[in-house]
């Protein structure tokens, strides 16, 4: 597995532009999607690899903060395209304001946790506060966030990432000596978690989304996205700890519906590495090993064909770090 870690780390870096941005290799025109950039660099930051390159991306993101954006929100970053000359052209939109900001703050925590770069943290304190504001710009009275100000849906995945982002930003504030603000963000994280448990928990899982007027949709386990995949996000983001009975029931329900997920490593039936990361957290080591072996043969050895992209590699590195940490305990 160490060889895969080295190879995929190098491949992620090969997707980074001189500006610091990370490309997601969509079919056709290359695209910069900050959310996927964050996930791609999670792996490098967690392993402590190429931290100067991670910092270059952090600098790129903060240099592209909108003040405000087309939706009236300050502290967001648009998606970008590369034109025929290789110039970065804003798309003037993004998939979500809450998740982009939240996952950026999680990436900053991973970077700082392995670099101890206090100077960077202090130099960008005001910018980070803007990002935190963007994360909470769509926070509603029920303590759940909308994906975007013009897309009034509260997604389980987004709110799980907001919970994690709030916790990580609270940790960063405490590291910077701002105990009062750290407590405030920690309390906000607790409220988001409580809201998810109260508003989104249903028998056997969570509703993947709450729509206008509070309409809740029960999870359709046969529908992969967002319904089934979303069920793993409370585990992935720490809303549920792996040893909690609720987490074990949730993962058991997932396996009941997708018992052979670990076999889906061909480009035509590829299942995201997020599942492998969740499985690693749940100590489902045999399935993880089978998945990684298939991934190495069918994806990595074949030059990383679509739909595998840099974010998949980043989450794979997180999964492998957790897996190897388990080896060390045995």
């Amino acid at each position: 597995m160490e060889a895969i870690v080295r190879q995929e780390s190098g491949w992620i870096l090969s997707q980074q532009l001189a500006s610091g941005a990370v490309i997601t290799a969509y079919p056709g025109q290359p695209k910069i999607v900050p959310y996927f950039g964050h996930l791609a660099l999670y792996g490098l930051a967690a392993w402590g690899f190429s931290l100067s390159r991670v910092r270059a991306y952090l600098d790129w993101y903060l240099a592209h903060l909108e003040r405000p954006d087309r939706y009236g929100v300050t502290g967001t970053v648009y998606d970008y395209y590369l034109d025929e000359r290789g110039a970065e052209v804003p798309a003037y939109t993004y998939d979500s304001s809450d998740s982009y900001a939240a996952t950026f703050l999680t990436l900053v925590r991973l970077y700082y946790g392995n670099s101890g770069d206090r100077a960077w943290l202090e130099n960008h304190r005001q910018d980070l506060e803007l990002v935190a504001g963007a994360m909470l710009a769509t926070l509603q009275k029920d303590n759940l966030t909308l994906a975007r100000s013009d897309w009034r849906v509260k997604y389980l995945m987004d709110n799980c990432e907001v919970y994690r982002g709030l916790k990580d930003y609270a940790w960063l504030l405490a590291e910077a000596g701002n105990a009062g603000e750290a407590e405030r963000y920690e309390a906000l994280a607790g409220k988001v978690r409580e809201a998810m448990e109260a508003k989104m928990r249903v028998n056997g899982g969570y509703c993947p989304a709450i729509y206008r007027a509070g309409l809740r949709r029960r999870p359709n386990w046969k529908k992969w996205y967002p319904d089934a995949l979303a069920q793993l996000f409370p585990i992935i983001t720490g809303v549920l700890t792996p040893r909690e009975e609720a987490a074990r029931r949730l993962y058991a329900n997932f396996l009941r519906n997708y018992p052979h997920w670990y076999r889906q490593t061909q480009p035509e039936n590829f299942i995201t590495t997020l599942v492998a990361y969740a499985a690693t957290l749940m100590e489902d080591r045999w399935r993880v090993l089978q998945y990684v072996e298939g991934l190495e043969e069918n994806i990595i050895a074949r030059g990383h064909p679509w739909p595998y992209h840099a974010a998949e590699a980043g989450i794979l590195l997180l999964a492998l770090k957790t897996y190897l940490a388990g080896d060390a305990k045995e």
Side-chain angles (χ1 to χ4, degrees), residues 24 194 204 230:
T24 302
E194 290 169 4

Side-chain angles (χ1 to χ4, degrees), residues 45 51 54 58 106-122 171-172 175-176:
L51 292 176
V54 176
L58 300 179
T106 294
L107 176 59
V108 172
R109 178 182 175 165
L110 288 169
Y111 167 74
Y112 182 77
N114 271 313
S115 70
D117 190 351
R118 184 173 293 275
W120 188 93
L121 194 63
E122 292 177 352
W171 183 87
L172 289 165
E175 286 290 308

Side-chain angles (χ1 to χ4, degrees), residues 6 37 69 82 105 109 120 140 143 145 160 171 176-178 215 218 262 274 282 304 325:
R6 290 193 298 271
D69 65 25
L82 295 182
L105 294 171
R109 178 182 175 165
W120 188 93
Q140 303 298 289
N143 291 313
T145 59
C160 286
W171 183 87
N178 197 337
L215 177 64
R218 297 178 67 84
Y262 58 92
L274 286 164
M282 297 305 296
H304 308 90

Side-chain angles (χ1 to χ4, degrees), residues 65-207:
L65 294 181
E66 299 298 326
R67 305 166 188 258
D69 65 25
R70 59 173 289 195
Y71 306 104
V73 180
T74 295
T76 58
V77 174
Y78 293 134
D79 293 345
Y80 281 75
Y81 294 94
L82 295 182
D83 67 14
E84 62 279 0
R85 295 175 292 111
E88 298 172 7
V89 180
Y92 296 107
T93 191
Y94 42 75
D95 185 66
S96 64
S97 55
D98 54 357
S99 282
Y100 280 42
T103 52
F104 179 78
L105 294 171
T106 294
L107 176 59
V108 172
R109 178 182 175 165
L110 288 169
Y111 167 74
Y112 182 77
N114 271 313
S115 70
D117 190 351
R118 184 173 293 275
W120 188 93
L121 194 63
E122 292 177 352
N123 289 340
H124 295 287
R125 188 175 300 183
Q126 291 183 346
D127 288 337
L128 294 175
E129 190 66 22
L130 291 181
V131 175
M135 175 174 58
L136 297 174
T138 58
L139 186 69
Q140 303 298 289
K141 291 180 180 180
D142 64 358
N143 291 313
L144 296 172
T145 59
L146 303 170
R148 207 169 64 192
S149 59
D150 68 328
W151 188 253
R152 304 189 67 78
V153 180
K154 302 164 188 173
Y155 288 107
L156 172 63
M157 289 187 287
D158 292 47
N159 278 276
C160 286
E161 289 168 333
V162 166
Y163 166 80
R164 183 75 263 155
L166 287 166
K167 296 277 289 184
D168 290 334
Y169 190 51
W171 183 87
L172 289 165
L173 287 167
E175 286 290 308
N178 197 337
E181 280 295 280
E183 290 177 5
R184 184 169 78 87
Y185 279 95
E186 187 73 37
L188 278 171
K191 290 179 180 178
V192 171
R193 184 183 187 278
E194 290 169 4
M196 283 190 285
E197 293 299 305
K199 303 287 186 180
M200 305 187 96
R201 178 69 76 90
V202 295
N203 290 339
Y206 292 80
C207 65

Side-chain angles (χ1 to χ4, degrees), residues 12-13 15-24 31-42 44-45 50-65 76-80 88 99-101 103-108 111 120 124 128 131 310:
I12 291 169
L13 290 173
Q15 305 304 298
Q16 188 175 27
L17 301 172
S19 67
V22 176
I23 293 175
T24 302
K31 191 174 181 182
I32 299 165
V33 180
Y35 174 81
F36 289 138
H38 304 160
L39 271 57
L41 295 177
Y42 275 7
L44 294 182
S50 303
L51 292 176
S52 63
R53 300 280 292 273
V54 176
R55 186 177 64 246
Y57 173 80
L58 300 179
D59 290 341
W60 177 90
Y61 189 88
L62 294 180
H64 288 75
L65 294 181
T76 58
V77 174
Y78 293 134
D79 293 345
Y80 281 75
E88 298 172 7
S99 282
Y100 280 42
T103 52
F104 179 78
L105 294 171
T106 294
L107 176 59
V108 172
Y111 167 74
W120 188 93
H124 295 287
L128 294 175
V131 175

Side-chain angles (χ1 to χ4, degrees), residues 271-312:
I271 200 164
T272 175
T273 56
L274 286 164
V275 179
Y277 182 43
T280 308
L281 293 171
M282 297 305 296
E283 300 181 344
D284 189 358
R285 296 174 62 80
W286 183 83
R287 288 186 179 87
V288 171
L289 183 59
Q290 300 303 308
Y291 176 84
V292 172
E293 289 177 352
L295 199 70
E296 185 175 21
E297 177 181 354
N298 300 314
I299 298 291
I300 296 173
R302 293 169 59 183
H304 308 90
W306 178 261
Y308 191 86
H309 53 77
E312 299 290 353

Side-chain angles (χ1 to χ4, degrees), residues 220-237:
N220 175 1
W221 284 92
K222 300 304 179 185
K223 183 179 180 182
W224 174 247
Y225 185 87
D227 296 46
L229 179 59
Q231 304 308 307
L232 298 178
F233 269 64
I235 297 169
I236 289 168
T237 58

